[in-house]
Amino acid sequence: MTTESVLIIEDDATLLQILRDNFAYSGYVVESAADGEQGLQKALGQKVDLIILDIMLPGINGYEICRQVRENGLDMPIIMVTAKGQESDIVLGLNLGADDYVTKPFSTKELLARAAAFLRRRHQKELKVYRFGHCELHMNSHTLLRDGVEVPLTPKEFNLLALFAQNPGRAMTRDEILRTVWGDDLFVTTRSVDRFINTLRKKIEPDPKRATLITTIRNIGYRFENHSPSSCSSADVKE
């Protein structure tokens, strides 16, 4: 159980009630809004740990809410909920600062698990050692150990792996990875990101051809899967 708070911004009354009930049952303090204006007001004015954000809202849409939340320096995880399946909509939301997305229909069990994973990540941001698979990434010494043996990393490889380790479960576009790790380097492209990912997979994955840690999101980017046990029970949303 958790005592953390979630703001659910969703204009579908039935879906909003389902999400409210499931998050409340899991121990969250739940705030909600049924339109964009009220949702933005609550997102900026109330201290919440997580936002579940529908994209298509009356008044102010989810993209604008996400943009204003990030422009105001708020860093709580934002998970977008959308009926749209177009990759361009997903990429736009991620580039505006959303952390992940679910498309309808979706399982509330999966959504709760993702929410819990993001909140764990927030609590663990000050960790100096990140463990995943058979590896340990030591932030202070900038070293990677695999089964206790040091694996050489270039500075950019370390920064890329640190970005993933600090953001488990988060969907990241290639452009976001490029901006974060390489900054304004004009000689690096998104294809360079793919090459670095392939190199990292050879260093951390049990089977680089069947990646389970750095997974590809087709036509969007990558997600780092640092699996840890979690459990929650809820109904599937079929809206």
Side-chain angles (χ1 to χ4, degrees), residues 10-235:
E10 168 62 60
D11 66 323
D12 184 313
T14 301
L15 178 55
L16 178 59
Q17 190 61 54
I18 290 172
L19 295 178
R20 282 184 57 90
D21 290 347
N22 277 272
F23 274 92
Y25 180 79
S26 297
Y28 289 84
V29 176
V30 180
E31 295 286 342
S32 64
D35 61 65
E37 185 174 352
Q38 184 186 35
L40 179 60
Q41 187 177 43
K42 287 191 173 185
L44 297 181
Q46 297 184 11
K47 181 177 173 57
V48 296
D49 298 302
L50 172 75
I51 296 177
I52 307 298
L53 177 62
D54 190 18
I55 290 180
M56 303 306 293
L57 293 165
I60 302 172
N61 65 38
Y63 297 127
E64 180 62 17
I65 292 173
C66 185
R67 185 185 67 80
Q68 291 201 37
V69 165
R70 295 308 187 217
E71 283 188 354
N72 278 270
L74 301 174
D75 66 349
M76 75 283 282
I78 298 176
I79 302 177
M80 299 184 307
V81 176
T82 178
K84 290 187 174 182
Q86 287 93 350
E87 290 150 354
S88 59
D89 297 315
I90 295 168
V91 170
L92 175 58
L94 294 173
N95 282 333
L96 285 171
D99 294 277
D100 206 354
Y101 64 92
V102 292
T103 54
K104 301 174 185 176
F106 62 89
S107 162
T108 52
K109 180 177 180 179
E110 178 186 356
L111 180 58
L112 284 162
R114 291 193 192 187
F118 280 116
L119 291 172
R120 281 196 302 272
R121 171 173 63 84
R122 278 175 67 86
H123 295 317
Q124 294 172 353
K125 268 196 170 181
E126 299 304 315
L127 284 178
K128 301 302 180 185
V129 178
Y130 293 91
R131 295 178 174 84
F132 45 89
H134 295 274
C135 299
E136 292 182 354
L137 187 67
H138 292 253
M139 303 300 290
N140 288 341
S141 60
H142 278 221
T143 55
L144 171 68
L145 301 181
R146 180 170 177 173
D147 293 323
V149 178
E150 184 172 349
V151 178
L153 293 178
T154 68
K156 283 294 188 289
E157 288 171 352
F158 176 85
N159 291 339
L160 178 56
L161 186 53
L163 175 66
F164 281 131
Q166 291 167 342
N167 293 275
R170 182 182 172 195
M172 288 185 280
T173 65
R174 290 174 174 84
D175 285 335
E176 180 185 3
I177 294 170
L178 191 62
R179 289 195 308 270
T180 304
V181 177
W182 281 270
D184 297 325
D185 190 336
L186 299 178
F187 298 100
V188 180
T189 67
T190 53
R191 299 189 75 173
S192 301
V193 173
D194 295 334
R195 287 195 293 270
F196 269 78
I197 295 293
N198 288 336
T199 300
L200 275 185
R201 282 173 169 163
K202 293 175 183 177
K203 295 184 176 184
I204 69 172
E205 296 278 2
D207 182 353
K209 294 182 179 179
R210 295 181 176 85
T212 58
L213 289 170
I214 304 175
T215 60
T216 301
I217 308 173
R218 186 178 177 184
N219 296 327
I220 295 173
Y222 297 95
R223 178 184 286 119
F224 187 70
E225 306 282 6
N226 188 4
H227 299 286
S228 59
S230 62
S231 62
C232 48
S233 60
S234 55

